[in-house]
Amino acid sequence: MPRIVRPENSHPAKALWFDRSKFVFVNFMVEDSKDVQVDIQEDKLIFSCKSADDSDIYNEIHFFDKVQPKDSRERRYDRTINVLLRKMKENVAWPRMTKDTGKPIWLSVDFDNWRDWEQEEEEGMAEYEKYLDMLQGMSKKGPPPKMDDLDDLDDDD
């Protein structure tokens, strides 16, 4: 992937994030985006696009902890670009999205999707089906994510 360069007069997109035991989700709020570029590295994410009015958008997030770039994906929708990041260390909560303790003004917690991990076992199948659809439509970055750890969800009989 070519290196993403920050455009001179760019501004950040508003972004919402939430944490799960195995994944971190980031949703960039940009309507009618075009020229979307997402560079997912172990320790950071670089997001760039043009908005409907041709404004340059650029966000860079240095992660709280490492992710697995090859098992991470993004997908563009009409109003958002959703990024699914596979944690390097599963079952470790991220108290914040960024490495720095100061929070960027454009980044907020998505409280509508935040929940205690104890509920994940019960709600895991519904969440799995929802995000399986998301994964299938996302751009490819190498082999598909390893989801063999989700096989346990079928054993509820």
Side-chain angles (χ1 to χ4, degrees), residues 52-63:
D53 65 359
D54 277 338
S55 296
D56 289 314
I57 307 286
Y58 181 90
N59 296 67
E60 190 167 331
I61 302 172
H62 292 264
F63 301 135

Side-chain angles (χ1 to χ4, degrees), residues 17-39:
W17 80 282
F18 61 99
D19 184 40
R20 290 290 191 273
S21 61
K22 295 177 176 82
F23 298 97
V24 174
F25 298 85
V26 185
N27 299 321
F28 293 97
M29 316 309 269
V30 182
E31 285 193 46
D32 300 323
S33 61
K34 49 191 167 195
D35 303 330
V36 174
Q37 296 180 56
V38 179
D39 181 12

Side-chain angles (χ1 to χ4, degrees), residues 138-155:
M138 290 185 160
S139 66
K140 302 294 181 208
K141 288 186 190 260
K146 296 178 214 158
M147 299 187 79
D148 54 341
D149 54 335
L150 297 174
D151 290 343
D152 301 339
L153 297 174
D154 294 332
D155 296 336

Side-chain angles (χ1 to χ4, degrees), residues 72-145:
S72 299
R73 300 282 187 269
E74 78 275 348
R75 184 169 184 190
R76 182 193 166 277
Y77 292 95
D78 289 341
R79 296 183 177 186
T80 64
I81 297 86
N82 297 350
V83 182
L84 172 73
L85 303 164
R86 178 76 177 224
K87 292 179 176 181
M88 193 74 75
K89 297 177 194 166
E90 296 179 359
N91 300 315
V92 175
W94 285 23
R96 61 185 180 275
M97 181 75 203
T98 61
K99 184 177 185 174
D100 293 331
T101 54
K103 182 181 82 68
I105 60 170
W106 49 265
L107 182 63
S108 302
V109 172
D110 185 350
F111 287 107
D112 291 340
N113 286 305
W114 198 277
R115 77 168 68 96
D116 292 331
W117 287 357
E118 293 81 38
Q119 298 172 0
E120 267 193 34
E121 291 292 323
E122 301 160 18
E123 299 173 14
M125 185 52 96
E127 181 177 329
Y128 168 73
E129 289 172 1
K130 176 182 174 186
Y131 291 105
L132 182 61
D133 291 342
M134 183 176 151
L135 280 172
Q136 289 174 344
M138 290 185 160
S139 66
K140 302 294 181 208
K141 288 186 190 260

